[in-house]
Amino acid sequence: MSNIDERNTDYNTSGRLEDDKIDIIAILLDMWKGVRKFWLLLLIIAIVCAGIFFAYNKLTYTPLYRAYATFSVGGDADSDSGYASIDAEELKETLPYILQSQVLQDMIMDDLQLDWFNFDLSLSSQENVALYTLTVSGDNAQDVYNVLNTAMNDIPVIGRYVFGSISFETLDESGMPSSPYNYTPIREILLKGFAAGLVIDLVLVLIYAFTYETIRREDDLKKHLNVRCLASIPAVRFKRRNREIDQNIHIYNSLVPYQFSEAFRTIAGRIERESQKYGRKSILVTSSIPGEGKSTIAINLGMALAKRNKKVVVIDCDFRNPSTASVVGLDEMSMPNVLDAINGNVPFSDVVQHYDEWKLDIIFTGTVIHNPMAEISNDKLKEFLEKVEKEYDFVILDTPPAAMLADASNFAQMVDGIVYVVRYDSVRVRQIREGMNAIAMSRKPIYGCVINGAEGSDIAYHKYYYGK
């Protein structure tokens, strides 16, 4: 830890490392988290896509009908030239040209008195058998059937100029079509639209997974921020219905699991060794945004250090939103106002609350102050902290979130070191980086980060998230 100052004030701000390998499991977990987080939006997207498919089909759908006739080709019995003299391959190649010729279309239009020819004619033949199938498609069932019959009469007439006398013998025909062949049931349309929406959802969730960078493991701190992890604090949850038990989250609560207390014992040991090596006493505890549990960490760190026979005081410096007292189940609003002590209006001893059961002193904020830095000069605050440091082995400051307010940066200039709290799999790395950049401007060492509310197969825990 000899180079902790240099190491913790030069964390990585470039995002993912170049040699990162894609963690498939992590991506899948992030995708599942995205589904759970945005499930309603994803469902709406799928439903909207189904509606779009239905509306598009309704507006653009034109019913098409199809009629066909299967026939064989023979020579005219009254003619000297018959089918026997017709080359089968030549017939297969020539008949499609006749079908698509303008001559045939003109003949059919004349026979049926049509103003335009809006039909598709196609011909298929069977392998090794002199059988052909003529298919006619169009948007009117009666017209399609009429065109089929007329074409069967007109094609042999045109074919006489190429092959001589030929005739068609109809072997099978469809008759007049009764329903359009391109009709798609509404249910199928909706299912296709819904499926397309799910594909869009998958893409969106995948994008979310690739862009959603949070802290889950100790290695993530090193990879994204180049800062060490002091400890991972396991998530602790109580049953919300049971209000008869102590639900305050601290190491003296017997209902809190052993792993929770052990994590703070580890943090306290590392902080104490740091203090002995560099003579550091004052510690600032902050986070990036509200709700990451910095007050819980501050109080429990103070208790853990006090357990090591150190004289410790925790000061609630979050004047805008004081929450230190609520961690231990106290009413902070009834406590003396620390601002008066900082400004010298009341003796220091009047604002210190001592708790024998925890061997800990706490200085509460008291009244909420919406613009504290305007009421506290740096000189008075520094003088106050110097006075406090003379009385204690460790002074812990619980400050506002660093990425949102400048308060934490101002306090950081007056302490010896910083503990940064990161809530497990919650805050984006970008926000954490912003908060740490703000703190780094104080040029004070960051002892490391505490991952709060950690969950996973490697951590045994009681379930209840604490987030003061």
Side-chain angles (χ1 to χ4, degrees), residues 431-450:
Q431 291 176 292
I432 301 173
R433 193 175 293 125
E434 289 175 359
M436 296 190 76
N437 280 334
I439 287 293
M441 295 179 66
S442 68
R443 310 303 299 174
K444 295 301 176 68
I446 299 177
Y447 292 121
C449 287
V450 175

Side-chain angles (χ1 to χ4, degrees), residues 230-339:
L230 292 175
S232 292
I233 310 299
V236 180
R237 296 184 177 96
F238 295 124
K239 292 182 179 179
R240 293 182 181 272
R241 297 177 182 176
N242 192 350
R243 300 187 180 278
E244 297 179 358
I245 64 174
D246 182 5
Q247 295 192 8
N248 296 312
I249 310 300
H250 56 76
I251 61 176
Y252 282 94
N253 187 344
S254 60
L255 297 178
V256 171
Y258 165 78
Q259 290 81 7
F260 181 88
S261 301
E262 182 64 18
F264 279 100
R265 188 192 68 80
T266 300
I267 300 173
R270 290 176 174 176
I271 295 296
E272 185 179 2
R273 287 194 295 272
E274 198 71 26
S275 174
Q276 293 173 349
K277 194 168 186 177
Y278 297 102
R280 294 167 179 160
K281 300 179 65 176
S282 54
I283 304 166
L284 181 143
V285 178
T286 189
S287 61
S288 301
I289 62 174
E292 293 193 73
K294 59 179 181 56
S295 297
T296 302
I297 301 302
I299 284 291
N300 281 277
L301 175 57
M303 291 178 175
L305 287 169
K307 266 193 171 185
R308 302 173 75 91
N309 297 319
K310 302 297 179 181
K311 190 176 181 182
V312 184
V313 62
V314 177
I315 306 176
D316 190 348
C317 295
D318 192 348
F319 298 100
R320 303 172 195 265
N321 183 32
S323 55
T324 302
S326 60
V327 175
V328 289
L330 301 173
D331 180 12
E332 188 160 0
M333 300 304 295
S334 64
M335 303 297 177
N337 193 331
V338 69
L339 182 61

Side-chain angles (χ1 to χ4, degrees), residues 102-120:
Q102 188 65 41
V103 175
L104 177 61
Q105 293 182 17
D106 291 341
M107 290 181 65
I108 294 174
M109 291 175 65
D110 288 341
D111 292 340
L112 297 177
Q113 298 297 308
L114 299 175
D115 294 328
W116 62 83
F117 193 86
N118 190 26
F119 304 92
D120 291 327

